[in-house]
Amino acid sequence: MGEQIAAAAPPAPPPAAPPGRRPKRFIRIKRPLRPQPDPNSPRLPDSIFALVGERLNLHKKVQSLIRSGYLDSASDTARDAVSSDTRPTVFTCNAVIASMCRARRYDDTLHFFHFFFNESNIIPNVASYNTLIKVHCDAGRVDVALDVYRRPHIHAEEAPPFSPSPVTYINLTKGLVDSDRISEAVDLLREMPNNYKGEAYSVVYNNLISGFLQLGKLDKALELFEELREKCSSVNNNYDGIVHATFMDWYFKNGREKDAMESYQTLIDRQFAMKPATCNALLEVLLRYGKSLEASTLFDNMLNSHTPPRFDAVNSDTYNIMVNECFKLGKISEAMAVFRKTGMKQGSKPYAMDAACYSNIVGKLCEHGLVSDAEKLLEEMQMKPSTLDFTTYKIFIEVYLKEDRVDDAIQLFNEMALFLTNFIPAKGFCDKVFDEVIKKGRLKEASDILGRMGRREVKPDPTSYEIVIKGLGETGRLDRVWDLLDQMKKYGIALTPTLQYIQESRNP
């Protein structure tokens, strides 16, 4: 009996694991995968990692429309996306409101800020607020801009914690100086954190220095300049030489050439690397007041210091400033030499010419009647597609139409509008070309190009259809009129009042 009871007893449990030696599987189960978010914490703006996939494609499309001047199409695209599965990121929203601000469409900027960040519950970031501040400053509403800075939650319902950036102070100080409130700008300067880089301080100080110089208060401007130098040296940063360009311009204007050049030499003697924007400002001041030799020397030094990717010492604006000065003086061959110029110092690298450089010099050559020389550069650009842009095509198409080279104009227009699908012609340009081509008796080509453009993702303007359809109607090509009207209906392109009347006459 005792043996049966012993057999029925449950087996003894295994010995317990020594302390600190729990099974790994148990540890993995107990450890949370990630910290649980606090439901009471404020929502944060999108990070750059949100800009992927379809949202990135949407952003690129909106940016392309903005660059081509289609601000309404860009804003409509972003607004429609809010109610779709591909909601825009804060970066796309910022691109829209910033483009409206640059175009001085201040009411539209405020409208879309409210739509994106209040009605659509997209969380704004500091760039969003900086644009809002700039809009109010540019429109003369500095008090409202200051209110955005002080109380951002009043202007966006779900405002995250607001940490002003250097751009915030740059916009506000400029707005205050422009509104003759320079003492308040100085007070705001004292609120700037002490962890910004020297160049950030420099632009803010430059706003104030420029304001005091305009008031004729040189002593106060020099006092601020000395304060800037001390602040930058205390954090082992160099100040931005843009301040010297401001002093130089004021000295030159007031007949103090010696002081201007001493200020310039003081900056050059420091021998620290200056970013292109700073050197470009110095170049412009030197050239404006006839110091071409010093400008050429500075340009050569910039080229010798250009060692990408370690340091970029020049940009397209640098070349354009120097090239344009040569054209201004009628030195065409010298302009071409400047365009081809590279650094001579060992280790320097040639600047990779971009579309902005090519389109600038091509435009200048055409202005001076040197179309054949410009065409040689166009051939060079076509070997490097990254240098082609809408501006270049626009220059040549307008020149060809002016010189009655209609076939060449149509060929380039066809290439630009149809085959280079990443290009979007600027608003109104297609209308102008269609009108000119039709006047020169090439209605069929205009109709064919427009029909093929309609099948692209970015559709032509309704006004382009109106121009071509009116031309077709005047020549009795009603079959083609109906084809284009059907295309507009198929792709959801709105009818102009004139086209609406024609459509109604088709189906009385």
Side-chain angles (χ1 to χ4, degrees):
M1 177 68 70
E3 293 177 357
Q4 292 177 354
I5 293 174
R21 296 287 301 276
R22 287 186 296 176
K24 290 184 178 179
R25 182 171 61 85
F26 179 77
I27 295 174
R28 285 198 300 268
I29 293 173
K30 292 284 288 183
R31 183 187 300 132
L33 295 177
R34 65 184 65 180
Q36 296 299 314
D38 181 358
N40 297 319
S41 62
R43 293 170 57 207
L44 298 177
D46 295 318
S47 73
I48 193 64
F49 300 107
L51 204 57
V52 295
E54 291 301 316
R55 300 179 88 184
L56 177 59
N57 292 335
L58 171 67
H59 184 73
K60 289 180 177 178
K61 179 179 179 180
V62 169
Q63 287 280 42
S64 181
L65 287 165
I66 289 171
R67 284 193 295 269
S68 300
Y70 289 86
L71 303 191
D72 292 320
S73 296
S75 58
D76 289 344
T77 300
R79 179 173 53 196
D80 293 343
V82 167
S83 57
S84 72
D85 294 334
T86 307
R87 281 171 61 86
T89 64
V90 65
F91 307 104
T92 306
C93 301
N94 287 346
V96 171
I97 62 173
S99 68
M100 294 294 182
C101 178
R102 288 192 298 270
R104 299 181 180 275
R105 294 173 56 174
Y106 300 139
D107 290 341
D108 289 327
T109 308
L110 298 176
H111 166 77
F112 281 106
F113 184 95
H114 178 73
F115 172 78
F116 289 130
F117 304 126
N118 287 326
E119 295 181 8
S120 305
N121 295 320
I122 297 171
I123 305 301
N125 61 15
V126 65
S128 314
Y129 287 113
N130 286 341
T131 302
L132 185 60
I133 287 171
K134 179 172 173 54
V135 164
H136 287 304
C137 286
D138 289 352
R141 299 187 292 265
V142 182
D143 287 324
V144 181
L146 288 168
D147 191 59
V148 175
Y149 167 68
R150 307 284 185 201
R151 304 186 303 165
H153 59 281
I154 300 297
H155 302 269
E157 293 177 1
E158 292 195 53
F162 179 58
S163 299
S165 72
V167 176
T168 310
Y169 294 99
I170 290 170
N171 290 340
L172 284 171
T173 52
K174 186 178 186 306
L176 287 166
V177 169
D178 291 345
S179 300
D180 297 325
R181 297 165 62 174
I182 197 166
S183 60
E184 293 178 61
V186 173
D187 293 339
L188 186 66
L189 172 67
R190 308 306 177 200
E191 297 182 19
M192 281 187 70
N194 292 320
N195 57 349
Y196 292 152
K197 293 183 178 180
E199 63 184 45
Y201 291 118
S202 300
V203 180
V204 175
Y205 272 89
N206 190 57
N207 286 341
L208 295 169
I209 289 170
S210 176
F212 280 116
L213 288 176
Q214 290 173 17
L215 295 173
K217 297 182 178 181
L218 176 60
D219 291 343
K220 186 62 178 177
L222 290 171
E223 180 184 323
L224 283 173
F225 179 46
E226 188 60 33
E227 181 181 312
L228 169 65
R229 294 174 61 180
E230 292 177 0
K231 183 183 288 287
C232 290
S233 62
S234 67
V235 293
N236 296 320
N237 266 323
N238 289 316
Y239 63 86
D240 194 311
I242 189 70
V243 181
H244 283 269
T246 300
F247 275 109
M248 289 167 61
D249 187 61
W250 187 84
Y251 283 135
F252 276 124
K253 283 181 179 177
N254 287 272
R256 298 172 60 169
E257 179 179 324
K258 181 180 178 181
D259 291 328
M261 296 311 297
E262 284 181 358
S263 177
Y264 175 67
Q265 194 59 48
T266 300
L267 174 63
I268 297 302
D269 289 345
R270 292 176 64 88
Q271 295 184 349
F272 61 80
M274 291 185 288
K275 62 183 182 179
T278 300
C279 291
N280 292 346
L282 293 168
L283 285 174
E284 289 179 327
V285 173
L286 290 170
L287 293 172
R288 187 181 303 133
Y289 295 100
K291 299 297 180 179
S292 56
L293 179 60
E294 289 81 358
S296 296
T297 302
L298 176 59
F299 179 56
D300 290 341
N301 291 338
M302 293 170 69
L303 296 177
N304 288 332
S305 302
H306 189 61
T307 56
R310 188 172 63 87
F311 183 71
D312 291 316
V314 298
N315 58 18
S316 57
D317 289 338
T318 308
Y319 276 91
N320 291 347
I321 289 168
M322 298 303 292
V323 166
N324 292 349
E325 180 68 14
C326 292
F327 276 104
K328 177 182 174 182
L329 300 175
K331 300 178 179 179
I332 310 301
S333 59
E334 188 173 325
M336 295 300 297
V338 167
F339 181 75
R340 302 294 187 187
K341 199 168 189 178
T342 60
M344 302 300 292
K345 186 177 179 180
Q346 185 176 2
S348 65
K349 295 182 180 180
Y351 178 68
M353 289 295 176
D354 57 11
C357 287
Y358 274 104
S359 62
N360 177 70
I361 194 168
V362 160
K364 294 297 181 182
L365 288 169
C366 289
E367 285 177 14
H368 286 75
L370 303 172
V371 179
S372 59
D373 292 328
E375 287 175 324
K376 292 177 183 177
L377 287 177
L378 176 61
E379 293 175 3
E380 185 178 313
M381 296 170 70
Q382 290 171 331
M383 300 295 292
K384 299 184 289 185
S386 61
T387 63
L388 286 166
D389 68 347
F390 163 72
T391 303
T392 302
Y393 279 96
K394 178 177 181 290
I395 290 169
F396 278 105
I397 290 170
E398 289 179 342
V399 168
Y400 289 155
L401 289 174
K402 183 178 180 180
E403 295 185 350
D404 209 25
R405 295 170 58 178
V406 185
D407 288 335
D408 291 330
I410 290 175
Q411 178 184 341
L412 274 187
F413 184 60
N414 193 56
E415 179 183 331
M416 178 194 69
L418 302 179
F419 302 118
L420 301 177
T421 55
N422 59 321
F423 285 177
I424 303 175
K427 188 174 181 63
F429 176 70
C430 289
D431 295 358
K432 179 180 178 181
V433 175
F434 282 128
D435 187 51
E436 289 293 325
V437 168
I438 291 172
K439 287 179 180 177
K440 294 181 182 297
R442 308 299 286 272
L443 178 60
K444 182 181 184 304
E445 286 90 339
S447 173
D448 291 343
I449 292 174
L450 178 64
R452 290 194 292 271
M453 287 177 67
R455 294 191 285 272
R456 292 182 53 184
E457 182 180 2
V458 179
K459 309 303 179 188
D461 282 345
T463 50
S464 293
Y465 279 95
E466 180 177 321
I467 291 169
V468 175
I469 287 175
K470 286 174 68 176
L472 291 168
E474 291 170 359
T475 57
R477 290 286 309 279
L478 296 181
D479 55 336
R480 187 60 179 151
V481 169
W482 309 141
D483 288 342
L484 291 177
L485 286 172
D486 289 341
Q487 184 182 77
M488 294 182 72
K489 180 179 180 181
K490 178 180 178 180
Y491 294 117
I493 302 171
L495 297 176
T496 65
T498 300
L499 295 181
Q500 183 68 43
Y501 175 78
I502 295 174
Q503 177 71 9
E504 290 172 356
S505 66
R506 177 186 183 185
N507 301 310

